[in-house]
Amino acid sequence: MCFPLTTSWRAFHQTPEIYSVELSGTKDIVKTDKGDGKEKYRGLKNNCLELKKKNHTEEFQKELHLDDHKLSNRELEKKYGTDIITGLSSTRAAELLARDGPNSLTPPKQTPEIVKFLKQMVGGFSVLLWVGAFLCWIAFGIEYSSNKSASLNNVYLGSVLVLVVIFTGIFAYYQEAKSTNIMSSFKKMIPQQALVIRDSEKKTIPSEHLVVGDIVEVKGGDQIPADIRVLSSQGCRVDNSSLTGESEPQPRSSEFTHENPLETKNICFYSTTCLEGTVTGMVINTGDRTIIGHIASLASGVGNEKTPIAIEIEHFVHIVAGVAVSIGILFFIIAVSMNYRVLDSIIFLIGIIVANVPEGLLATVTVTLSLTAKRMAKKNCLVKNLEAVETLGSTSIICSDKTGTLTQNRMTVAHLWFDNQIFVADTSENHSNQVFDQSSRTWASLSKIITLCNRAEFKPGQENVPIMKKAVIGDASETALLKFSEVILGDVMAIRKRNRKVAEIPFNSTNKFQLSIHETDDPHDKRFLMVMKGAPERILEKCNTIMINGEEHPLDESTAKAFHTAYMELGGLGERVLGFCHLYLPAHEFPETYKFDTDAMNFPTSNLCFVGLLSMIDPPRSTVPDAVTKCRSAGIKVIMVTGDHPITAKAIAKSVGIISANSETVEDIARRLSIAVEQVNKWDAKAAVVTGMELKDMSSEQVDEILANYQEIVFARTSPQQKLIIVEGCQRQDAVVAVTGDGVNDSPALKKADIGVAMGIAGSDAAKNAADMVLLDDNFASIVTGVEEGRLIFDNLKKTIAYTLTKNIAELCPFLIYIIVGLPLPIGTITILFIDLGTDIIPSIALAYEKAESDIMNRKPRHKKKDRLVNQPLAVYSYLHIGLMQALGAFLVYFTVYAQEGFLPRTLINLRVEWEKDFVNDLEDSYGQEWTRYQRAYLEWTGYTAFFVGILVQQIADLIIRKTRRNSIFQQGAFRNKVIWVGIASQIIIGLVLSYGLGSVTALSFTMLRAQYWFVAVPHAILIWVYDEVRKLFIRLYPGSWWDKNMYY
Amino acid sequence: MLSEGDILFSSLLSSRSLFWPPGLILLFYLVFYGFLAALFSFTMWVMLQTLNDEVPKYRDQIPSPGLMVFPKPVTALEYTFSRSDPTSYAGYIEDLKEFLKPYTLEEQKNLTVCPDGALFEQKGPVYVACQFPISLLQACSGMNDPDFGYSQGNPCILVKMNRIIGLKPEGVPRIDCVSKNEDIPNVAVYPHNGMIDLKYFPYYGKKLHVGYLQPLVAVQVSFAPNNTGKEVTVECKIDGSANLKSQDDRDKFLGRVMFKITARA
């Protein structure tokens, strides 16, 4: 029979409803079996339509036979042409390998490097430059067709624009390739091995070479190398969390227990981990045909969202293009009405449009982003996509994983209960500060049980490793207990050696306890000590006395009540509680030579002495509460999404501040008022804990309602797929959503998020591929530094753009005046290029090093539709205020140079036509002197240089004022950002080199300028600075006023 | 692109911020731009105060004069005429007459007769201009031949040295003209040898040196009567003075000029 999964995969593209169950079986089964866990596989239902569009239907249509769990071993052997005892033959295996391909997940289709490279050159900004370049060439074409000796300036300009795009593209490509390389170095270098039976021999082969029908053996600690059908198992338990989000270990055996292959015990899935025991199984699916392979392929179906900064840059390009075209057309009309030839007017039009293109900005922005990316990488945020640098800054909701991100990802002893008292253990990362009372003799007994009734061991050869970092063989709880006792008691292995173990019953899910019998380390005490730990209620059942202050007391009602109170309290904290008891076996009944038989149970397991409780939790990382508080004050909502139990989730949420101390959930209110949950007005609660089960029954409106109305939300028991629903819900609120994740199953959500953050250590490759950013230390607190950097870069990009736009007007005005008033051209194209791509580059990058003006972590995240990168005040203030002042200052230098050489301003008016005639070689100046064409040209270049110096001097002032948008320079500290001064120095040095060093190179049209002309524009520069200080002063004095609204950018 | 412009326009004109309320914003820009205009005018005025009315502050960019020819070339330094067709050279004659107007005896009668062969330096406050007897140009003076030789096929071209304030030529400057075509070597220059008398230097500027006339040299090319449909390229250069350059790679008119005359049938 074909497993129902088949039908649901196929039905998937017919009814959007079905996808939710396709992994958990069919709907019919859901009805008959209300077992726990099904809801975990619901998730992507809303994504069906989207996925459908992506042409994934074909893939899902493939018949997916998964009925192997129902087959007998014999049928399996027949189906896969194998033999359980001898395995496949090598030749057969090779054939199958050739047929099916290697057993590994195909990485999501890699974009070819060349496409990646070309993509860097067609972004929003690059388009502007491309259009500019083509316009230049068109202008040259027009000129050339009417005049064969047309100036080549336009060709050069066009080529420079293209070169800028190409070089910036190469740079960006190189930057991103670099972070990709860092990422790939994280991949596990050692190929995974699998123990397989082939040709009747046990062989170790790379797991990539597994084929269906192979018989494999997996032992505790190994990853399951493929989807396997269990043939036999010894106490095998697997961690399915990467697949289902279920963090409890799941037992595995050969029995067929469930119709649903995901629920049945006799199938282990690729990429999950075998925690303990051993299992032998037959490979039934390999590579992309495994369940995890199917899920991983879903990620590629989820569209990648445009980054907020890309949207902002697009918006900026629209503004620049709008301004350029508007001014261009305006002056085209003016030129035509001034009786210029239409062809000339068109060239003017193109010239004006091109003059508006900020040539240097693309390079500046790219470098700025990569500088920040570098800074973030130092703080353990590796950015894969340069543009994602800013995204974290605009993030308004973070959907965070719990395990490993918020928590330390290791069980740790948190509380102890003995002598009727609860003690708190230190759960910080190094456990150093255990302050509870260790003088009680009860503790002595309890510590002995903890030490002895434990099978976990340190791996050898770690003498110098701090205890908390030592690798341990054993499950999470035992590891916690081992480390706990090692920290307090010292060498646990030596203690165990002194108390030789004579018998042991390991933990199993039926009896729910673990027991061992030891000789004591007291040479005079010939009794055996039996120690036991397990589920508290089970342990208590077996006891009739309780130890208090080292004395055994009969277990009466009041002590039992105390036990229950403590148990409930610890359980309520979301902690895993274990009970401990012991019994000294009477020496006369159990002499030294007594043979203990764990199968016959020839020893008592009741009437024991209860010693204490101990509770464990995966504790929050110590940096997390602070980080969550920072997010809070930064206006970022932190939502926890976990597969864990709601109580645990809530406890962790509370301890890290995701649910603040004084907020209540509906359930809390109900308990406080002693009323039913239904009677509580649900909007009275500030916090909500929503389980996957509840989530699966909600419409998207209900999800929206929850997301919008609760400040503090925890999603528990959710499947990784349900993350996608949550992310989409958040995005419907216009939020910029960051998602953290590590599992393969998280990859669709990571991709869907505005910024997906994968874990560098715990993260799967699929998750890292889908993410935009990788946290190298898996620490939530690193996200906060990312947010800070992202916000800072947004502010600083604003400054950079404002700085760059300003001089655009000073560069454009000369051309306009040249057309309208007929002055000899004040500044040439090449000179402008030397400003845009020369003197201004380092200063505009230097603004990226500017410190934040105020606490950027204390304001709300920017609204992605309202707080634009380039807003109207920024454009207006740059163009019409500072830009204009700059133009005036530069014109002053220009007029000074001409006047002092003999051409007074009034003479210059309408001189253009005569000035530019090649055969007029006796043009008269204001003093009666006559100039040849070349002498005029040289003067014109001096004018260019003068104008250049005028802009340069004022750009220094512009740079200084752009350091802040609101604060005075004095508040910000003029010297705090040293790079700014490097920028200013570079500006001056480049200017000096151009004028004095290259002044003799005709093609560059620079001349040696008299030293005093450098100072002509200084008063204007000072004026710019004073004006801006006044602007900022009024903004600070009258927040919210007309001035503030119009002048704050 | 246009639609993007529209987007911007609509967003600029949206009443949201800057253009609302219009009164206040207009007032602001009126005051702000008024202030900027005043400031710019003031700084320009200050700058103009640093200048001298009579002599420009710097003369470094014109250390040496250029040469220019008349009739004034329109697009290129090429003259085409036909002796049989007066309309073909009427424009040139017109131009030459116009150019020589200040040089007529009538115009020059108030000018001073200066001593030949030496710089005529003056201390002011009144600066006088020296006479340039147009008769020096002999056949090209236009006095005897109102057609400046065009009707005979011997066209005259005037060569002028650019005025530069304070320029004092060294040595004995002259303008040397040679034909580049071997078969028409007959190039005559007037005054004799293309001499430029030093008495016309230095020049004291338009304001002080009222009525100044710069010395001229005429070039006459003689096409043989039967020699029609010929063209000749003539190059004139300043010679005989160490501080007047006539060789510059970039400036083709610095102390020299080259022109082409085509005689059509």
Side-chain angles (χ1 to χ4, degrees), chain A residues 326 876 880-881 900-901 919 921-922 924 927-930 932 934-935 939 942 1002 1010 1012 1046, chain B residues 4 9 11 18 29 33 52-53 56 58 60-62 64 75 160 162-163 165 206 214 250-251 253:
Chain A
S326 314
V876 169
L880 298 183
H881 293 215
Q900 297 197 336
E901 290 289 350
F919 296 99
N921 280 290
D922 60 343
E924 197 177 314
Y927 293 89
Q929 308 185 97
E930 290 167 323
T932 65
Y934 181 78
Q935 284 164 342
L939 178 58
T942 311
T1002 326
R1010 285 196 162 74
Q1012 72 260 33
N1046 287 294
Chain B
E4 284 163 352
F9 251 91
S11 79
L18 215 111
Y29 277 96
Y33 284 167
N52 180 330
D53 274 358
Y58 300 112
D60 57 318
Q61 305 217 339
I62 36 173
S64 191
T75 53
K160 175 193 84 167
N162 279 352
R163 288 189 297 262
I165 293 173
K206 192 159 80 173
Q214 58 212 106
R250 295 188 190 126
D251 194 347
F253 294 91

Side-chain angles (χ1 to χ4, degrees), chain A residues 131 135 317-319 321-323 325-326 329 353 872-873 876 880-881 884-885 888-889 891-892 895-896 899-902 904-905 914 917-922 924-935 938-939 942 1000 1002 1010 1012-1013 1020 1023 1027 1042-1043 1045-1047, chain B residues 1-2 4-5 7-9 11-12 14 17-21 24-25 28-29 32-33 35-36 39-40 43-44 47-48 50-62 64 66-68 70 72-73 75-77 160-165 203 205-206 214 250-251 253-254:
Chain A
V131 171
L135 284 178
V317 168
H318 286 172
I319 289 187
V323 168
V325 173
S326 314
I329 289 178
I353 291 174
Q872 198 178 302
V876 169
L880 298 183
H881 293 215
L884 208 68
M885 287 161 96
L888 290 181
F891 267 113
L892 182 67
F895 279 125
T896 307
Q900 297 197 336
E901 290 289 350
L904 297 181
E914 282 296 298
K917 272 188 189 160
D918 282 339
F919 296 99
V920 174
N921 280 290
D922 60 343
E924 197 177 314
D925 66 15
S926 316
Y927 293 89
Q929 308 185 97
E930 290 167 323
W931 297 65
T932 65
R933 174 69 187 116
Y934 181 78
Q935 284 164 342
Y938 194 79
L939 178 58
T942 311
S1000 49
T1002 326
R1010 285 196 162 74
Q1012 72 260 33
Y1013 294 138
H1020 271 262
L1023 177 77
Y1027 178 68
W1042 174 87
W1043 183 271
K1045 274 184 210 141
N1046 287 294
M1047 302 294 260
Chain B
M1 292 291 271
L2 259 173
E4 284 163 352
I7 292 166
L8 180 88
F9 251 91
S11 79
L12 277 185
S14 71
S17 67
L18 215 111
F19 293 86
W20 202 258
L24 200 48
I25 208 78
F28 171 80
Y29 277 96
F32 179 55
Y33 284 167
F35 166 75
L36 285 187
L39 183 92
F40 184 66
T43 48
M44 283 292 278
M47 183 271 287
L48 291 174
T50 67
L51 301 177
N52 180 330
D53 274 358
E54 292 135 14
V55 185
K57 189 156 182 172
Y58 300 112
R59 297 190 299 270
D60 57 318
Q61 305 217 339
I62 36 173
S64 191
L67 290 191
M68 184 65 181
F70 283 89
K72 213 175 175 122
T75 53
L77 286 173
K160 175 193 84 167
M161 203 168 90
N162 279 352
R163 288 189 297 262
I164 291 175
I165 293 173
Y203 172 54
K206 192 159 80 173
Q214 58 212 106
R250 295 188 190 126
D251 194 347
F253 294 91
L254 190 72

Side-chain angles (χ1 to χ4, degrees), chain A residues 249-260:
Chain A
Q250 308 285 308
R252 280 293 176 262
S253 61
S254 56
E255 304 114 54
F256 160 51
T257 58
H258 205 286
E259 284 280 326
N260 181 345

Side-chain angles (χ1 to χ4, degrees), chain A residues 80-141:
Chain A
Y80 291 106
T82 184
D83 186 291
I84 290 174
I85 310 300
T86 63
L88 289 171
S89 69
S90 305
T91 44
R92 173 77 183 139
E95 276 170 33
L96 288 174
L97 187 64
R99 187 193 72 188
D100 295 342
N103 172 37
S104 60
L105 294 185
T106 320
K109 211 171 77 199
Q110 288 288 330
T111 330
E113 292 299 303
I114 183 77
V115 173
K116 274 194 206 163
F117 180 63
L118 291 178
K119 257 192 183 160
Q120 298 289 355
M121 295 182 199
V122 291
F125 241 137
S126 319
V127 167
L128 196 65
L129 297 194
W130 282 115
V131 171
F134 284 112
L135 284 178
C136 281
W137 291 330
I138 290 171
F140 174 76

